[in-house]
Amino acid sequence: MAMTWDSVLVAAAATELNASLGGKRLRAVHLDHHGRSALLHFPSVTLALRLHPEEGTLTRLEAGEPDPEASPIAGVVSEVLAPPDDRLLLIRGRRLRGSREAFLVAVELMTNQWNVVLAFGPDDRIRHVLRSRSDARVLRPGEAYLPPPPSTREGVRGDLSRERWHEVLHGLEPPAARRALLAGVAWTSSLNVDALLGAGDDGHALWHRLASAHTGAEPVVLGSGPSARAYPLALPGLEAHPARSVLEALDIAARAPTGGTPSIPAGWIEALARQAHRAEGRVRALEGQLASAPDPSSRRALGDLLLARFHEVPRGASRVTLTDFTGEAVELALDPELPVQDNAARYYDEAARAERARERLPGLLDRARGELDAVRDLLERARNGDASPAEVREALPAATEATGGRVGPSLPYRTYRSSGGLEIRVGRGARHNDRLTFQHSSPSDVWLHARHAAGAHVVLRWSGDGNPPARDLAEAATLAALSSQARHSGSVPVDWTRRKYVRKPRKAPPGTVLLDRARTLFVEPDPMLEERLREE
């Protein structure tokens, strides 16, 4: 269900978690990047976090064995805290083995930026992150974790006087008063601001209770059904049901009806939410491809320059600087093993690919945006009870319907179909790569990966004695190039071999393998091919 967290709720949850988890052993943390969720495994309980833009919940589950892909911690929690007037949970502790290094699990509960970061060492060096970011704060493995800037609103420590409270609101109409509180007064949020304003002269007293709710919570579930939400205390004018703890209130609110009609299985709505997430990713990918497509005329001009100045190009050069037709010096990259004419042809080929991309990508992007809008609309109507089961069923893959709405673990790969009808499986990431290679393929299958570039493992299903058809092999290699960090290169080398010749070194990181009898195929990472072969 959709859930809005504010600083009052986060602070109260942190206080209870500190009391219940302090001194307890944290066994492992499992980050599910695709589902935007995380599991924190303790011996007596598992904390489940769902952090999709459409869903933001924290619930307690029965203790269970961590997934093999979970990151082992084997440490003891020293404290759980929340910075004042912030939506950030910090779980700190120290590992029990080896160097006994410190660890940090940071749970960011800011709507549309929800995240989980796992960091280690005295400088909180990030080792795993649910969603990497590179904007004002860089959140990616290898970087030191930087929390969001601290709150600068007045009254962070609950010390806003009654006189100052009335001074902030003096002479303001309700809309302006609402904005003034949200912008300038700590512990206010869209959840409580209307209650604060509606309390009149008692507004400051209610604010003071909110600012100190983490030390004296009277937990409730506000509302019911799809609008149910946990809160540390009741708010005037809102339906409230007492709970024994904030954590219990969170459990109750997270398990309230989702808003879909009773005849729509909850699993279908969850699957629809994941489908919306995949559609968002496809739009972002196409936008990136369109933005990074080179200017065809500039690439073609480099080919023209090479042919016009071919006598100035030294034999075997990897780079050369030539004077263009406007008198400017231009440096060109060359393949030293190719003659000048073939190097010029490479630039012409790049120009042709860029032209094709600029012609086709806008149409693909428009279609992807339309699909995203449609699935978002259907998801919202399903949650509000305005969609029929038939609509939802028709929008989902057949496998979801066949399971009666039960949603099991997602496959570690995406499925494609080659021009010759062969199935191609593309891994979803480093941890999923291992599962694809060693659990979801046969020894005779063809295994592919872009050389010297991080990316997906790819498996071309093949049981024949000889090599697969050249066209099918080239298409699988192209998908490997497109699923790697070399996706924007003009030509990408892709290594391939039978899966039985792929092995994993002992204690190697996820996705790391060694190959025997590998051969290399050079392909052009054409994004249109991915669209054409995609089955999902």
Side-chain angles (χ1 to χ4, degrees):
M1 59 163 289
M3 179 74 174
T4 301
W5 290 75
D6 69 358
S7 55
V8 178
L9 178 58
V10 173
T15 298
E16 289 194 5
L17 288 170
N18 187 59
S20 62
L21 299 180
K24 298 297 194 301
R25 182 183 174 191
L26 177 57
R27 300 176 61 196
V29 175
H30 183 202
L31 302 184
D32 179 356
H33 305 277
H34 176 66
R36 293 200 196 180
S37 62
L39 295 175
L40 278 60
H41 290 275
F42 295 86
S44 59
V45 69
T46 296
L47 291 185
L49 291 155
R50 304 212 46 182
L51 300 173
H52 190 276
E54 300 289 346
E55 300 177 271
T57 59
L58 183 155
T59 54
R60 295 171 298 176
L61 307 176
E62 291 185 6
E65 286 301 311
D67 188 278
E69 296 182 355
S71 301
I73 304 296
V76 171
V77 173
S78 57
E79 64 176 345
V80 182
L81 58 91
D85 191 34
D86 207 341
R87 291 173 289 175
L88 176 65
L89 281 174
L90 300 175
I91 304 174
R92 291 193 174 275
R94 187 167 295 277
R95 301 181 102 171
L96 295 172
R97 302 170 187 165
S99 63
R100 298 177 61 85
E101 66 179 343
F103 69 82
L104 166 68
V105 181
V107 182
E108 300 186 352
L109 295 163
M110 293 80 76
T111 307
N112 293 328
Q113 298 182 36
W114 287 330
N115 216 339
V116 178
V117 176
L118 179 57
F120 292 90
D123 59 350
D124 294 334
R125 191 67 54 177
I126 298 173
R127 194 165 300 174
H128 302 287
V129 59
L130 188 63
R131 296 186 65 206
S132 296
R133 294 177 53 186
S134 299
D135 44 24
R137 291 187 303 133
V138 177
L139 297 181
R140 62 184 178 213
E143 301 288 340
Y145 174 67
L146 294 177
S151 172
T152 58
R153 299 194 294 180
E154 290 188 73
V156 166
R157 304 195 179 280
D159 53 359
L160 189 72
S161 68
R162 179 181 294 272
E163 291 73 18
R164 179 56 183 154
W165 174 268
H166 288 295
E167 188 178 307
V168 169
L169 297 177
H170 180 69
L172 297 180
E173 294 296 324
R178 196 176 194 274
R179 290 193 296 271
L181 288 181
L182 292 175
V185 178
W187 307 105
T188 63
S189 70
S190 59
L191 295 177
N192 60 40
V193 67
D194 293 328
L196 288 166
L197 292 174
D201 291 339
D202 294 329
H204 179 264
L206 176 58
W207 174 85
H208 193 269
R209 289 183 62 207
L210 291 168
S212 58
H214 57 285
T215 61
E218 299 175 8
V220 295
V221 177
L222 298 175
S224 59
S227 63
R229 63 184 68 254
Y231 214 60
L233 50 85
L235 295 175
L238 295 180
E239 174 189 1
H241 306 277
R244 287 176 295 184
S245 66
V246 171
L247 295 178
E248 182 186 66
L250 286 166
D251 289 341
I252 294 170
R255 291 162 184 161
T258 62
T261 63
S263 56
I264 298 178
W268 289 10
I269 296 179
E270 292 180 7
L272 198 61
R274 288 196 298 274
Q275 192 163 312
H277 172 53
R278 289 194 296 269
E280 291 168 3
R282 175 143 186 82
V283 168
R284 288 195 299 270
L286 288 170
E287 288 173 341
Q289 291 172 14
L290 185 59
S292 62
D295 177 14
S297 60
S298 65
R299 309 309 288 175
R300 188 173 290 106
L302 295 178
D304 293 342
L305 182 60
L306 267 179
L307 293 181
R309 304 276 194 267
F310 72 94
H311 57 282
E312 300 177 24
V313 180
R315 184 185 299 274
S318 59
R319 306 193 73 83
V320 66
T321 301
L322 302 174
T323 302
D324 69 9
F325 306 112
T326 65
E328 297 290 331
V330 178
E331 186 178 32
L332 295 91
L334 304 174
D335 185 333
E337 297 182 2
L338 297 179
V340 174
Q341 294 88 336
D342 289 350
N343 272 295
R346 292 178 64 205
Y347 281 109
Y348 292 140
D349 288 343
E350 288 182 22
R353 286 195 298 270
E355 283 181 339
R356 292 196 298 271
R358 291 192 171 200
E359 288 173 0
R360 299 189 62 184
L361 282 173
L364 294 175
L365 182 56
D366 287 343
R367 190 171 78 183
R369 285 170 174 163
E371 292 172 353
L372 175 58
D373 290 342
V375 72
R376 279 176 171 170
D377 175 70
L378 180 57
L379 178 61
E380 182 178 359
R381 290 190 294 110
R383 284 183 166 146
N384 293 334
D386 297 328
S388 70
E391 283 184 280
V392 177
R393 184 175 62 246
E394 185 177 350
L396 295 176
T400 306
E401 179 184 353
T403 59
R406 298 187 303 275
V407 181
S410 60
L411 290 172
Y413 57 85
R414 296 182 296 275
T415 305
Y416 298 82
R417 187 69 58 179
S418 72
S419 300
L422 300 182
E423 181 183 348
I424 305 172
R425 296 175 175 178
V426 178
R428 295 185 183 273
R431 293 183 180 276
H432 294 294
N433 279 340
D434 283 349
R435 288 177 58 201
L436 166 60
T437 297
F438 299 108
Q439 299 177 25
H440 293 267
S441 65
S442 299
S444 61
D445 289 343
V446 173
W447 183 96
L448 307 97
H449 189 275
R451 178 189 287 184
H452 305 317
H457 292 188
V458 174
V459 168
L460 175 64
R461 302 284 284 167
W462 179 249
S463 58
D465 293 332
N467 295 331
R471 180 176 179 181
D472 302 78
L473 181 63
E475 289 175 342
T478 301
L479 291 177
L482 287 167
S483 302
S484 75
Q485 291 183 351
R487 66 180 66 90
H488 300 306
S489 302
S491 179
V492 178
V494 176
D495 292 332
W496 66 278
T497 186
R498 290 296 181 105
R499 209 281 294 157
K500 60 186 176 184
Y501 301 128
V502 180
R503 55 193 172 89
K504 186 166 185 66
R506 189 167 178 266
K507 296 184 178 180
T512 302
V513 296
L514 295 177
L515 310 182
D516 291 324
R517 307 190 188 185
R519 284 172 278 185
T520 304
L521 189 64
F522 286 82
V523 296
E524 169 194 332
D526 180 5
M528 298 359 148
L529 180 75
E530 193 270 348
E531 171 72 16
R532 194 165 65 248
L533 303 184
R534 184 159 54 101
E535 282 201 333
E536 293 183 345

